[in-house]
Amino acid sequence: MMDYKVDFHTHTWHSDGLMKPTEMVRLFAEKQYDIVAITDHDGIGGVQEAQIAGEALGLQIVAGIEFATEYEFEGETLELHMLGYYIDIENEDLLDRLRDIRKARKERNEKLLQALNDAGYELTWDDILTRPKQTYVGKPNFARAMEKKGYVMENMWDFFSEIPKEKISAEEAMALIKGAGGIPVLAHPAQIKHIGEPGSEEFWTKLEKLIRELKKKGMKGLECFHPSADDDLAGKLAVLAGKCYLHILQGSDFHGEPEQIAKL
């Protein structure tokens, strides 16, 4: 049986990662990976560049994406991250919806920048943007700009959450992924809030119910192996995925931070 070195959850600078797609592909090739999926948030801008580099270096690059979504479950609105794999990056329905999402993100980011300035943190777009022609700006970009300017804010992520991002439904995300020929997968289940402490009896009961609901609506896999899950939890997630006849995925959620590079 042949072993493959894979990472099905990575981000380039086309979303909130720090590395160019070509740089990231070169790094993974040097580390002797066999398959890497590019799963940038709400966009596929880095996929083609990565695939060209991967072909040259003998590394298989999977066209992917990650959506932050909402899902109504037992009286709670859950934030679920849906990964999509092997998608057609030229699918018109997908591209049209991504344009809408980018527009909504831009409007939200303008409100967030104004709120930070109103709170006394003087930032401009020049502080936020890290490269020419950057089209994606997320909360990590604001956090890095704050750190660079020497600003310290208690509960920074809570502050960011006061200006919520408009999210699509999990059902729509899965439909978009499937419509583009892809495979929908639930990302890092240990990070889902409002279903109990990871590893608790409540967690396993609610997670299995949630997974079975999502499977009926088109979900095909579960990201079991992720930094948010220790070995014991990851193993039990894999057992649950098998019980529910789902693909078992492994991803590092790579963004290019030095500590992540050191662990490759």
Side-chain angles (χ1 to χ4, degrees):
M1 182 177 177
M2 185 177 294
D3 291 328
Y4 287 93
K5 196 172 182 181
V6 304
D7 193 329
F8 276 86
H9 194 160
T10 71
H11 299 280
T12 76
W13 74 357
H14 283 271
S15 64
D16 56 350
L18 299 176
M19 301 178 74
K20 298 177 184 178
T22 50
E23 291 175 338
M24 202 174 78
V25 169
R26 188 178 303 113
L27 174 65
F28 277 94
E30 289 172 354
K31 298 294 184 179
Q32 299 184 321
Y33 277 72
D34 297 288
I35 305 173
V36 172
I38 305 296
T39 54
D40 281 323
H41 296 284
D42 303 333
I44 42 78
V47 170
Q48 188 174 37
E49 181 183 339
Q51 288 179 328
I52 292 170
E55 186 174 352
L57 295 171
L59 174 63
Q60 182 182 340
I61 299 297
V62 174
I65 195 166
E66 182 174 10
F67 289 106
T69 77
E70 291 182 337
Y71 184 73
E72 298 301 319
F73 178 74
E74 294 191 341
E76 295 279 1
T77 300
L78 305 183
E79 178 176 334
L80 304 180
H81 284 219
M82 301 302 304
L83 295 158
Y85 298 107
Y86 298 99
I87 58 174
D88 174 9
I89 61 173
E90 296 181 353
N91 180 270
E92 285 299 327
D93 289 339
L94 176 63
L95 293 175
D96 285 345
R97 194 65 179 98
L98 291 179
R99 280 188 281 269
D100 294 339
I101 292 171
R102 282 197 298 271
K103 181 181 177 182
R105 178 183 292 277
K106 183 174 183 295
E107 293 171 354
R108 186 258 186 183
N109 285 335
E110 288 171 350
K111 293 177 182 177
L112 181 52
L113 182 61
Q114 185 60 55
L116 286 167
N117 277 276
D118 291 344
Y121 301 98
E122 296 183 5
L123 293 170
T124 67
W125 284 116
D126 287 339
D127 298 315
I128 305 296
L129 301 177
T130 58
R131 64 182 178 87
K133 299 181 181 179
Q134 181 175 343
T135 58
Y136 179 97
V137 174
K139 289 184 288 188
N141 297 101
F142 284 93
R144 291 171 191 146
M146 293 273 286
E147 183 180 4
K148 189 174 181 180
K149 295 274 281 191
Y151 292 138
V152 177
M153 176 192 287
E154 292 186 11
N155 303 319
M156 178 169 58
W157 298 104
D158 291 337
F159 180 90
F160 290 169
S161 298
E162 290 176 6
I163 302 174
K165 171 189 171 184
E166 181 181 322
K167 300 181 183 70
I168 66 173
S169 70
E171 293 92 335
E172 182 183 4
M174 289 189 288
L176 285 168
I177 292 165
K178 291 180 69 177
I183 301 169
V185 171
L186 178 63
H188 39 69
Q191 293 184 341
I192 300 172
K193 297 179 181 178
H194 310 303
I195 63 169
E197 183 69 22
S200 67
E201 183 177 349
E202 179 189 18
F203 172 80
W204 291 116
T205 299
K206 289 189 174 182
L207 180 61
E208 181 170 351
K209 182 179 179 182
L210 173 64
I211 285 171
R212 291 190 181 280
E213 282 189 16
L214 292 171
K215 183 182 177 183
K216 289 179 181 178
K217 297 179 180 182
M219 190 182 77
K220 300 295 184 182
L222 187 67
E223 185 181 41
C224 302
F225 297 92
H226 179 272
S228 62
D230 62 22
D231 290 345
D232 180 65
L233 186 62
K236 290 176 180 176
L237 286 169
V239 170
L240 177 58
K243 179 181 177 181
C244 296
Y245 300 98
L246 294 170
H247 295 294
I248 296 170
L249 277 293
Q250 173 177 308
S252 70
D253 215 342
F254 184 81
H255 285 75
E257 285 89 352
E259 62 270 20
Q260 288 183 303
I261 293 173
K263 292 178 181 178
L264 287 181

